[in-house]
Amino acid sequence: MKLMLVAGTRPEVIKLAPVIRAAEKQESVETVFVGSGQHYDAEMFDNFVKELELPKPTRYLKTGSGTQAEQTAKILVESEKVLKEFKPDLVLVEGDTNTVLAIGIATVKLHIPLGHVEAGLRSYDRGMPEEINRTLVANCAELNFAPTEKAALNLIYEGITPWKIYVTGNTIVDACLQNVEIAGKKSKIMEELGLKRGGFILVTLHRVENVDRKEKFSQIIDAFIDLKELPLIFPIHPRSRKMLERFDLALKIEGTGHIKLIKPLGYLDFLWLLNNCAVVLTDSGGVQEEALTLKVPCITLRDSTERPETVMVGGNILVGARKEKIVKTTRKILRDEEFINRLRSVENPLGDGRAGERIVEICKKEIERKEAFLLETGLLSYMILPIKAFNKITVKELEEKMKVKITAIYNEDGEPEFFDKETVIKKGTFLRLKGEKQRLIKTQKMNNEENKKF
Ligand code: UD1
Ligand code: UDP
């Protein structure tokens, strides 16, 4: 199997690393690693490839920065060439960047199956470019690797067929667990910055909706200026560095003493700081997940998150970009020992550290089976069927008996439920069926007839 993995930005390298590692262990898998060129500075891409001991990308696409459309279009055009050159059996992308959307479109249009790692995350905030990307790519993917059941359900809500969804855990947990120990041995960042465990606040910031708006970015910087009680370590993303200067905010920070702006860090140094900070203030997706994995309190400078599991287990608090709220919440968390004790005892809902292996196994199986990738033809339609009968029949049995596909199961309250082939169909639920019209009508009739028997 020829597996092409494409990464465009820092977090994609980190989150694909466990998949690449797992793929490389398999003799039957040939990997082709491609850099989309979205992030091009060594400190945002190549340094992560080296640090995580990944193979050097076989190709880098000529992309670079630009508007949303420019960047997406460049990757779309460039990736078509590389896909035609290497003819992979399957392409894997990770996350929700412009890279993911562009590769998704190019791949599906060449009729090559696409696997989407970290599928189904939704913030339901259409103002974010990432929300658009992750929603659209779900329709390009043949295999959706949802990190959690909640993410899988989001896909089902949108009509993605369940046999295209696998709940695998998030590969960030693999990456984090694989590297935190190494970080502890290798990183000297605490000594270099003169920090003590629990004696500083870590900050990351780069979301368009925060740093590209002067009003919001200023509120956040003002909050940082107020939080004088501990040193605040701020490895700054290139987007934020650019905007900080454009909005004349850099001057405000200079001379505060407690805010330390540093260049983006390598993965091991960053992970080690995260593991040792008192609290992390962030708008990053990956950092919310890593904080929970390392049991570090996280305050998210956004009004929504596509990682609700982190909030629900009590590891993450959303505060938006309002100065007062950021300051008040941070001070509260710094004093709240109970919060930290509770956090230490929670089970990680994001995964068990084996997502990479699972994803590679599934890719292998699906490529061998080919069934997932057959183009569907015929006059297919959909029907919602209230289940009056079919008691004790499993999804598989019903599908085989009636030659239809079940694309969703809704409970009595109309909420979709996650299911697999062995799930037993219950009375009172609703099935969303897909198939040829005659088959659907026959199934409907059976449902009514069987009902008479009950
Ligand atoms: C991108 C992703 C975001 C992800 C983030 C990870 C999209 C829409 N956004 O945001 O989802 O969370 O990466 O960090 O895909 N720049 C450099 N050097 C680089 C790369 C970027 O200086 O190597 C600067 C450029 O000025 C560029 C700006 O950063 O205009 C933004 O880069 P871009 O890739 O467009 O978006 P990110 O904000 O990095
Ligand atoms: N990270 C890093 N160095 C830094 C800041 C972040 O290695 O200076 C890592 C962090 O551990 C996480 C990832 O980068 O795994 C998050 O990337 P980012 O916040 O840029 O993107 P997002 O996760 O929001 O898409």
Side-chain angles (χ1 to χ4, degrees):
M1 171 176 73
K2 195 190 275 183
L3 184 62
M4 181 181 279
L5 302 107
V6 190
T9 66
R10 160 171 84 184
E12 289 161 78
V13 179
I14 295 168
K15 289 179 171 180
L16 277 181
V19 184
I20 298 176
R21 289 236 180 97
E24 291 211 308
K25 282 190 201 145
Q26 303 273 350
E27 260 179 44
S28 61
V29 181
E30 179 194 342
T31 56
V32 181
F33 182 32
V34 174
S36 84
Q38 178 169 348
H39 280 179
Y40 40 85
D41 288 341
E43 64 191 15
M44 295 302 286
F45 198 91
D46 277 349
N47 290 356
F48 289 89
V49 174
K50 276 188 214 138
E51 210 177 5
L52 291 163
E53 296 177 14
L54 300 176
K56 204 172 164 321
T58 316
R59 283 278 187 288
Y60 289 95
L61 308 184
K62 294 184 197 82
T63 302
S65 305
T67 64
Q68 295 290 316
E70 283 164 355
Q71 195 173 55
T72 310
K74 276 190 214 161
I75 304 171
L76 187 56
V77 172
E78 290 299 314
S79 60
E80 191 180 51
K81 295 179 200 160
V82 90
L83 288 164
K84 282 184 174 166
E85 181 186 343
F86 287 97
K87 297 185 182 59
D89 296 302
L90 179 72
V91 175
L92 280 186
V93 288
E94 192 287 327
D96 50 22
T97 61
N98 290 343
T99 294
V100 171
L101 176 61
I103 301 291
I105 296 171
T107 305
V108 69
K109 290 213 167 189
L110 287 172
H111 307 142
I112 300 171
L114 177 83
H116 181 211
V117 178
E118 205 180 38
L121 271 59
R122 297 290 181 268
S123 62
Y124 297 103
D125 174 358
R126 303 269 290 178
M128 300 176 71
E130 292 86 358
E131 182 73 0
I132 316 274
N133 291 339
R134 55 190 168 233
T135 307
L136 295 179
V137 80
N139 277 291
C140 301
E142 294 298 329
L143 302 172
N144 291 278
F145 298 108
T148 64
E149 209 166 276
K150 211 167 176 38
L153 275 175
N154 289 337
L155 293 168
I156 290 177
Y157 265 119
E158 289 166 16
I160 302 297
T161 42
W163 60 87
K164 291 186 173 187
I165 306 170
Y166 293 87
V167 179
T168 57
N170 197 315
T171 56
I172 193 85
V173 180
D174 311 20
C176 195
L177 298 179
Q178 282 164 14
N179 288 292
V180 69
E181 240 180 81
I182 305 174
K185 286 186 192 131
K186 287 195 179 169
S187 174
K188 298 276 169 282
I189 191 78
M190 296 281 288
E191 294 81 350
E192 281 168 22
L193 297 175
L195 300 169
K196 286 201 188 92
R197 184 170 167 78
F200 65 100
I201 297 171
L202 183 62
V203 170
T204 85
L205 204 65
H206 74 284
R207 289 279 154 221
V208 176
E209 64 269 27
N210 278 338
V211 302
D212 283 25
R213 295 198 198 153
K214 186 172 183 185
E215 159 64 13
K216 276 197 168 187
F217 203 0
S218 307
Q219 288 256 340
I220 294 172
I221 294 296
D222 284 345
F224 294 169
I225 292 171
D226 254 25
L227 286 167
K228 289 189 178 62
E229 43 271 76
L230 288 177
L232 200 141
I233 309 299
F234 188 179
I236 190 161
H237 189 284
R239 173 187 286 279
S240 316
R241 165 77 72 186
K242 193 169 78 180
M243 300 318 284
L244 200 72
E245 272 147 31
R246 184 171 300 169
F247 297 149
D248 287 332
L249 294 169
L251 282 175
K252 271 185 151 185
I253 291 182
E254 267 172 36
T256 53
H258 70 289
I259 303 177
K260 203 164 175 59
L261 269 189
I262 53 176
K263 62 181 179 41
L265 292 169
Y267 191 46
L268 296 181
D269 280 344
F270 184 81
L271 215 49
W272 197 235
L273 284 189
L274 183 60
N275 193 55
N276 286 291
C277 69
V279 58
V280 62
L281 271 50
T282 190
D283 61 8
S284 158
V287 176
Q288 290 173 61
E289 295 160 342
E290 287 166 338
L292 182 61
T293 303
L294 298 173
K295 308 281 168 73
V296 171
C298 180
I299 296 178
T300 296
L301 310 180
R302 290 177 45 194
D303 291 312
S304 65
T305 180
E306 51 293 312
R307 279 101 175 156
E309 297 86 351
T310 58
V311 177
M312 277 150 63
V313 299
N316 188 10
I317 302 172
L318 303 182
V319 295
R322 288 167 296 277
K323 177 191 161 193
E324 295 308 330
K325 196 150 185 210
I326 298 170
V327 172
K328 213 170 135 194
T329 311
T330 308
R331 291 207 169 117
K332 186 169 174 295
I333 292 300
L334 287 173
R335 287 191 304 262
D336 192 348
E337 262 184 49
E338 216 181 286
F339 183 96
I340 294 159
N341 290 338
R342 242 188 344 233
L343 179 57
R344 289 207 177 110
S345 67
V346 302
E347 209 178 298
N348 192 349
L350 302 175
D352 59 1
R354 294 191 42 237
E357 289 165 30
R358 274 187 205 110
I359 289 168
V360 172
E361 280 304 327
I362 295 165
C363 291
K364 262 179 63 186
K365 245 194 239 154
E366 290 295 336
I367 285 289
E368 277 159 24
R369 214 160 59 91
K370 292 272 188 224
E371 195 200 295
F373 311 127
L374 291 180
L375 292 177
E376 286 176 305
T377 52
L379 294 171
L380 298 176
S381 36
Y382 286 92
M383 170 187 278
I384 297 279
L385 189 69
I387 293 302
K388 303 170 185 164
F390 295 130
N391 240 356
K392 300 208 179 78
I393 289 187
T394 64
V395 167
K396 190 172 171 216
E397 285 162 351
L398 182 74
E399 285 187 343
E400 281 173 4
K401 187 170 168 187
M402 304 313 299
K403 300 201 170 43
V404 291
K405 291 269 185 195
I406 298 173
T407 63
I409 300 181
Y410 300 92
N411 65 20
E412 286 161 339
D413 299 323
E415 287 166 353
E417 289 191 333
F418 190 66
F419 67 98
D420 59 26
K421 297 282 176 197
E422 302 311 321
T423 302
V424 175
I425 295 165
K426 289 192 219 114
K427 259 193 205 175
T429 58
F430 299 81
L431 302 188
R432 182 170 178 265
L433 299 179
K434 181 184 182 184
E436 285 176 24
K437 205 159 184 184
Q438 289 313 316
R439 297 267 168 216
L440 296 180
I441 293 168
K442 212 169 162 190
T443 313
Q444 195 175 28
K445 272 194 192 150
M446 268 306 261
N447 183 37
N448 290 333
E449 279 165 25
E450 291 220 357
N451 190 33
K452 283 181 204 148
K453 284 189 228 155
F454 285 101

